[in-house]
Structures are given as structure tokens and as C-alpha cells.
Amino acid sequence: MTVHSQGAMTSAPEDAPLKSAGRPERPTTATGPRHTPPRGGRKPLPSGWLPYLLVGPAVLALATLLLYPLVKNVILSFQDINKIEFIQRKYPFTGLDNYTELLGDANFWTVVVRSFAFTLANVALIMTLGSLIGILLNRLGKKMRLVLSMALVMAWAMPIVASVQVFKWLFDEQFGVMNWVMRTAGFAGYDQHNWMETGLSTLVIVTILVVWGSIPFVALNMYAGLTTVSAELYEAARMDGANGWQTFWKIVFPNLKPFFLITTFLEVIWVFKAFTQVYAMNKGGPDRASEILPVFAYVEGQSQAHYGLAAAISVLTILILVIVMSFYFRLILKQEEEQ
């Protein structure tokens, strides 16, 4: 027992004999993890740098493959480069002359209107038919769902150029299947009928091709989204006497509204820049009557050798698409805020 100066008696700590025995007392360490220096004397990188180091190679690759060509294309749009200037390697700057010429050209605005009409028709058909097939997939049995899914995947995986060749054979003037079908059905005037005689008929065929190739993406995503909707909601709708159309608008659409927004957004971008289908089908003909903006830019640049003008067309195409998509982005952000 020990007595403090205040007179209170306290018991000695249990390790007092150890201290009295002369054993050294272990020094107390500060709380927290002990950081051991790395081997070799190297200092560790700050933890905040690691995400940037991991993303760095991808950003560098995107800047090399996308950003640099985009900047060069914008610079080219301010230059007057035709075939002679290209051979002589003279690239004079002309300011906004290319843009002024385009904005004052009636053919350019005709192509713009045609591009919007083509995009609107394709996206409406793709989303409608794709959603219906997705609902059908959700209601089919296991075997039939597998067969239909395999057919959709094979159509989706078919290369674009190969599918264009198939459609050109189907609508061929002399050996086409469609002429044979129309003659067999009893329609007159389909003996060597030219289905691509006008720009409108050519774009109708291209629309069928684009819709056929894009439906699988929407249908399979629609089916995947429907699997997340609880079966109890369908059961409650049936008990309330709702029919199929009411069930879709009251149950399916509200739950899958983000899916419809994102999918429509992607389809607008893909259809608006559908170059391969239009050019490979009839090269924008006849008489450039089926050109949309990407094909219009390519023909002006490669066939007409107006490289500066073609660059200006591509820049305007990007700006038009960005302006259109800005309204759609606002709609998506508003939807996220509501959730």
C-alpha cells in the first residue's frame, strides 16, 4: 500500500514488482496504423493519383484517335481546299466562307430536312416494333423465346455491307424476289420494276434495312427490362380489370421509362449517322436524291473534291446533333431528379 501526499491510500499497480525488478518498461506508441517505409527508399505515390493513372491510357487513346482528328477537321473547315490546292499542298484560310456557302445553299437544307425525316421515321419504327417484340419475348415459352432470341441475335450480328447486298438482291430489278412476289400476287407492272428509281423509294428500302438491323437491340433490352418488373404489379393490374394496353401504360412504361429514354437517345444517334446503309445501297442516288448529311459530306469531299466544304458539312452535322440532343439530355436529367 502507498500513501499519497493528500493522505489517500491506493493499492500499488500489479506490475510494480516488474518495475522494481529492473525490467525496462515498453514505451507506449501513438494510436493508429504504423506506416513502414517502402523498400528501396522509394516514396509512395499519393493515393489521389491512382484513379488518374488508371484512366490515363484510355484518355490518351481517345485523344489520339478522336480529339486530334476532330480538331484537324474543324481547322480544315475554315480552309479552301479543292483538288488543285490538295495537289499543290496549299491550304489557304478563307474564314467562314464554307459555312456561309452551305447555309445559303438550298440543297444543304433539303438534305437536313431529309435527314431529320429519315431519322424520325426509323426511330419511331424501331422503338415501336422493338418494344412489341420485347413484350412478345416476355410472354413466350422457354423454347420459343430461345428460337426468337437466336434469330434476333443473328440478324443483329450480320455485317452491314453483307445485309445491304442481301437487300439489293431482294429488290433487284431483274432477279429480285420482291418483283416475283408482286407478280405472283397478281399485281401488274412489276416485270423488271426498278425499286430504286426515286430517292424516296430508295430511302424506304434503306429504312426497312435499318429497322430490321436495329430491332434486335431494342427487343432484347426491352425483354431484359421487363424481367425486372415485379409479377405482383401485373397481378394487381389484372385484378383491377386493366387490359393489355392499360397495363403497358400504367405498369410497364413508368417502370421502364429510363430504358425508353436511353434507348431512344442511342437510336437517334445511330440512325442520324447511318452512312454505310445509304451509301452502299445506291451511293446517295439517283441524282443524289437519297443523300443524308453523312453521305452528303462524303460525296462533296471524295467525289467532288471539295474537302474544306465537306469538313464544314461534318462540323455542322455534329452541331445539329448536339443541339437536338441537348433537349434530350435535359429530359434525362429531369427524369433522374424526379427519381
Side-chain angles (χ1 to χ4, degrees):
M1 304 290 290
T2 59
V3 180
H4 291 279
S5 59
Q6 289 84 357
M9 297 176 57
T10 59
S11 60
E14 296 179 358
D15 57 348
L18 297 178
K19 294 181 180 179
S20 60
R23 292 187 181 183
E25 182 181 1
R26 293 183 180 179
T28 58
T29 58
T31 59
R34 298 178 62 184
H35 297 281
T36 58
R39 296 181 181 179
R42 293 177 296 178
K43 295 182 179 180
L45 291 174
S47 58
W49 288 14
L50 183 59
Y52 299 100
L53 291 176
L54 295 176
V55 177
V59 173
L60 182 61
L62 288 175
T64 304
L65 299 176
L66 297 178
L67 184 61
Y68 176 75
L70 179 61
V71 173
K72 291 291 290 184
N73 187 68
V74 173
I75 296 174
L76 181 61
S77 68
F78 295 103
Q79 296 174 326
D80 183 18
I81 303 179
N82 297 318
K83 188 176 293 183
I84 296 177
E85 289 80 6
F86 185 77
I87 294 174
Q88 295 177 351
R89 295 187 177 182
K90 296 179 179 180
Y91 313 121
F93 281 89
T94 58
L96 299 174
D97 289 353
N98 289 326
Y99 294 96
T100 304
E101 181 181 349
L102 281 175
L103 296 177
D105 187 5
N107 292 329
F108 171 75
W109 292 109
T110 301
V111 175
V112 170
V113 173
R114 185 186 300 137
S115 301
F116 276 102
F118 176 78
T119 303
L120 180 62
N122 277 272
V123 172
L125 290 172
I126 290 169
M127 293 303 299
T128 302
L129 297 177
S131 299
L132 292 175
I133 296 177
I135 295 173
L136 178 63
L137 282 171
N138 190 47
R139 296 191 177 186
L140 287 176
K142 185 176 181 180
K143 293 183 179 179
M144 290 304 300
R145 183 187 303 127
L146 178 62
V147 172
L148 182 55
S149 299
M150 291 178 61
L152 291 172
V153 170
M154 287 188 290
W156 192 18
M158 189 172 184
I160 296 177
V161 176
S163 61
V164 170
Q165 295 302 317
V166 171
F167 271 72
K168 289 177 70 174
W169 171 72
L170 290 173
F171 292 93
D172 185 70
E173 183 177 352
Q174 185 174 2
F175 303 105
V177 175
M178 289 305 300
N179 281 336
W180 174 81
V181 170
M182 299 302 288
R183 290 196 305 268
T184 305
F187 292 94
Y190 287 92
D191 188 15
Q192 297 187 354
H193 174 71
N194 185 8
W195 290 89
M196 301 183 190
E197 186 177 3
T198 64
L200 178 60
S201 61
T202 301
L203 286 178
V204 169
I205 297 174
V206 175
T207 298
I208 298 173
L209 170 62
V210 173
V211 171
W212 171 80
S214 301
I215 280 178
F217 173 77
V218 178
L220 294 174
N221 279 279
M222 180 69 178
Y223 168 67
L226 287 173
T227 58
T228 63
V229 180
S230 175
E232 297 177 354
L233 296 177
Y234 292 109
E235 184 65 26
R238 283 193 295 267
M239 292 179 63
D240 291 338
N243 55 28
W245 184 253
Q246 293 173 336
T247 302
F248 176 81
W249 281 113
K250 299 297 183 180
I251 303 297
V252 176
F253 185 78
N255 284 276
L256 299 184
K257 191 174 181 179
F259 156 77
F260 285 107
L261 291 176
I262 297 299
T263 308
T264 305
F265 167 71
L266 294 175
E267 291 296 336
V268 168
I269 295 177
W270 290 338
V271 174
F272 197 81
K273 63 183 186 65
F275 167 82
T276 308
Q277 295 91 332
V278 178
Y279 188 80
M281 185 67 70
N282 203 17
K283 296 183 178 180
D287 298 327
R288 306 185 66 175
S290 63
E291 289 181 350
I292 59 175
L293 281 172
V295 179
F296 183 56
Y298 180 82
V299 172
E300 286 292 331
Q302 297 298 322
S303 300
Q304 306 297 325
H306 299 157
Y307 302 108
L309 193 64
I313 296 171
S314 64
V315 172
L316 288 176
T317 301
I318 295 174
L319 290 178
I320 292 173
L321 192 58
V322 168
I323 293 173
V324 173
M325 288 295 98
S326 63
F327 297 100
Y328 206 76
F329 277 127
R330 291 177 59 186
L331 185 61
I332 293 177
L333 293 176
K334 183 179 179 180
Q335 175 67 23
E336 291 181 353
E337 292 176 358
E338 292 177 354
Q339 293 180 349

